[in-house]
Amino acid sequence: MLVDVFDSGFEGGTFSGWDGEKDLGNDLGITSTAPHGGKRCMKLVYNDVTPEYLIKNLDELSEGSIAFWIKFALSGDWNTDPTALLQIFNRDGIELLYGGFKSTNGGIQYFSRMRVYGSWNESAWNLAAADSQWHRIEVQFKIHPTDGYHRVLIDNRVVHESAGLATDVFNGKAVSRMTLGTSASLREGVNGTLYIDDVSVASRLVTGSVLGLMEAPPSEMSVPMPEDTPVPTATPV
């Protein structure tokens, strides 16, 4: 059973429920203009290469989901190169999952990848928004030596699903941190606004540890890294 461990609808008018924010460009705020639910939502102006994102510390989640509603003002100038939107890390600051977006054919596509032993499990680029309306993105995951999974839903429709994955790459070090916003790979020439609302994080209740059920890699230092995909992004500071 999945149980909510965090939710944020920004109704308090601040980011107090989060553990940190990076807003060096003063482009991150809360607005009452057309939220998805309630009276407020997060507003992010993407008009330079300065990262703007929220940080949430999580308690070693080994299985769960992250969901949020997002709206892009498609009248803006967006880039066809990807920008990070969602990243989750283990306690050593190593990226376990990445979600990015890019513009294509007048819409916004979303991509997700999850670390597996020696490689990445990657989704295709899937259409997330073809209009300036609210759309829901959800990523479900499980960290496990042999039975991990990576699932992506857009507007409650499964667009990617892989199971039986070796996702326990770092010997039981599960998800401990999440960032949400334009956290990496920002592009010159972009001038657009996006809105986020009703963020939720859920964890599956388990009895005992589901990690370490098979022989782990000899050491973290010897874990093979992907060769054909980008080197994982370090935790933003």
Side-chain angles (χ1 to χ4, degrees):
M1 178 177 63
L2 287 175
V3 177
D4 285 343
V5 296
F6 173 70
D7 63 82
S8 176
F10 308 102
E11 291 302 291
T14 70
F15 297 123
S16 60
W18 296 79
D19 294 302
E21 61 186 90
K22 294 293 182 182
D23 187 21
L24 299 179
N26 296 316
D27 292 324
L28 191 62
I30 295 175
T31 181
S32 59
T33 303
H36 171 261
K39 297 180 179 180
R40 296 180 177 89
C41 64
M42 168 181 153
K43 177 182 179 180
L44 193 159
V45 178
Y46 180 2
N47 59 3
D48 52 37
V49 294
T50 304
E52 314 280 349
Y53 58 90
L54 300 177
I55 302 166
K56 182 62 184 177
N57 296 326
L58 302 171
D59 188 18
E60 293 293 308
L61 298 187
S62 61
E63 184 177 7
S65 72
I66 298 170
F68 54 93
W69 288 83
I70 189 164
K71 177 171 66 172
F72 293 87
L74 291 185
S75 59
D77 296 320
W78 299 98
N79 200 294
T80 55
D81 294 320
T83 295
L85 179 65
L86 170 67
Q87 292 175 280
I88 61 176
F89 306 88
N90 68 14
R91 62 177 178 264
D92 292 332
I94 298 176
E95 183 185 82
L96 301 179
L97 186 143
Y98 163 99
F101 70 93
K102 68 178 182 179
S103 172
T104 180
N105 298 323
I108 300 292
Q109 290 186 336
Y110 186 79
F111 164 86
S112 181
R113 71 180 186 193
M114 184 173 183
R115 186 185 293 280
V116 296
Y117 187 68
S119 186
W120 296 94
N121 177 259
E122 299 181 336
S123 76
W125 283 96
N126 291 283
L127 184 66
D131 52 36
S132 298
Q133 303 299 317
W134 286 102
H135 296 276
R136 186 176 186 270
I137 295 176
E138 180 179 1
V139 179
Q140 301 173 359
F141 60 88
K142 182 178 182 179
I143 309 295
H144 192 279
T146 59
D147 196 28
Y149 60 76
H150 174 209
R151 184 179 297 118
V152 182
L153 298 89
I154 297 178
D155 289 335
N156 298 317
R157 181 176 66 89
V158 176
V159 298
H160 175 79
E161 185 168 22
S162 294
L165 303 176
T167 53
D168 181 22
V169 180
F170 297 101
N171 303 338
K173 294 180 180 178
V175 176
S176 66
R177 196 182 198 209
M178 170 183 85
T179 63
L180 184 62
T182 52
S183 55
S185 303
L186 278 77
R187 311 294 177 175
E188 295 280 1
V190 175
N191 189 359
T193 302
L194 61 90
Y195 303 84
I196 293 175
D197 204 357
D198 295 329
V199 182
S200 64
V201 180
S203 175
R204 186 170 299 280
L205 292 179
V206 295
T207 303
S209 175
V210 298
L211 302 176
L213 300 181
M214 64 172 277
E215 184 178 353
S219 70
E220 293 175 21
M221 294 301 294
S222 65
V223 173
M225 302 297 281
E227 296 179 356
D228 299 324
T229 53
V231 175
T233 306
T235 307
V237 295

